[in-house]
């Protein structure tokens, strides 16, 4: 599986599993959905949708997705996307890229991702960057540690894409390693005053991840784990 597909699948899954800050009744519907009470969730959400509530329309789509009805999910997600909701545009773009609930169509996927990216939606900005800048073969890894949720790495000649479960995707540029048996990458997030550095030994599967405070160069987090290459 290529780097593009991994990131876009992550975007879809993250949106399908996320709960946003909503009004009380939509929050009640999301809670019902999380408990498997899909009929109760849809009853609340459809009523709000009839009043033109785009967030409710989006959540109807996510609820149908969790019931396994991806085609109906895509219909509702499209309704909100066509009315300008960025998260729905991003989700619809990911659906087209992966063929989830709609015929797979990369051009339409890029179209909807670009609409969301133009509104500042981060997952779609990442997707567009990867589509335009990351080419060539990749290796994909699932990494686990004792203290953090699993994460995925997708490694190409120029980049390492870090995809933590439930967190933001980060794009690291490959840098020359001190030890040539390791693959290393780094990225600065100056607006948040930290940089992230990741190293992977493809022979042993050992990984090291660090967050470094830019101002002081102090290590704020040091995590070691083991990665397993996917597709083998």
């Amino acid at each position: 599986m290529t780097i593009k597909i991994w990131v876009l699948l992550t975007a879809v899954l993250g949106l399908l599993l996320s709960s946003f800050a909503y009004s009380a009744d939509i929050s009640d519907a999301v809670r019902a959905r999380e408990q498997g009470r899909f009929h109760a969730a849809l009853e609340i959400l459809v009523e709000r949708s009839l009043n033109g509530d785009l967030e409710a329309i989006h959540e109807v789509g996510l609820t149908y997705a969790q019931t396994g009805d991806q085609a109906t999910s895509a219909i509702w997600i499209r309704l909100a996307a066509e009315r300008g909701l960025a998260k729905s545009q991003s989700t619809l773009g990911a659906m087209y890229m992966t063929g989830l609930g709609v015929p797979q169509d990369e051009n339409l996927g890029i179209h909807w991702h670009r609409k969301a990216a133009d509104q500042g939606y981060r997952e779609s900005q990442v997707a567009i960057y990867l589509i335009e800048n990351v080419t060539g073969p990749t290796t994909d890894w699932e990494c686990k540690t004792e203290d953090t949720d699993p994460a995925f790495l997708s490694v190409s000649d120029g980049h390492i894409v870090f995809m933590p479960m439930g967190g933001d995707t980060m794009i690291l540029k490959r840098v020359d390693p001190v030890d040539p048996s390791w693959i290393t990458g780094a990225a600065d997030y100056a607006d948040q005053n930290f940089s992230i550095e990741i190293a992977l030994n493809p022979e042993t599967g050992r990984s090291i991840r660090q967050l470094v405070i830019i101002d002081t160069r102090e290590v704020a987090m040091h995590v070691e784990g083991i990665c397993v290459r996917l597709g083998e």
Side-chain angles (χ1 to χ4, degrees), residues 32-163:
R33 182 178 70 213
E34 291 171 347
Q35 296 169 350
R37 296 187 293 115
F38 299 118
H39 180 77
L42 287 170
E43 195 170 36
I44 297 170
L45 294 169
V46 170
E47 182 177 353
R48 287 192 64 98
S49 297
L50 294 175
N51 294 323
D53 188 326
L54 296 184
E55 298 285 359
I57 293 171
H58 179 83
E59 289 296 328
V60 171
L62 299 193
T63 302
Y64 275 112
Q66 291 198 3
T67 69
D69 188 347
Q70 305 298 343
T72 303
S73 170
I75 291 170
W76 284 87
I77 293 294
R78 181 189 298 277
L79 284 174
E82 289 175 342
R83 288 161 175 77
L85 190 64
K87 73 177 77 171
S88 296
Q89 293 170 343
S90 182
T91 305
L92 187 60
M95 286 177 159
Y96 273 115
M97 296 298 291
T98 59
L100 187 66
V102 294
Q104 190 167 4
D105 188 322
E106 185 169 334
N107 289 331
L108 281 174
I110 293 171
H111 167 79
W112 285 108
H113 268 306
R114 201 174 296 282
K115 281 183 172 293
D118 287 346
Q119 294 196 63
Y121 201 76
R122 177 174 169 75
E123 289 294 351
S124 285
Q125 290 174 336
V126 169
I128 293 297
Y129 178 89
L130 293 174
I131 290 166
E132 293 179 344
N133 294 281
V134 179
T135 59
T138 67
T139 58
D140 300 310
W141 304 77
E142 182 179 8
C143 302
K144 297 181 179 180
T145 71
E146 291 185 358
D147 302 321
T148 62
D149 290 335
F152 296 97
L153 298 179
S154 202
V155 180
S156 66
D157 285 343
H159 297 80
I160 298 174
V161 179
F162 172 58
M163 295 163 277

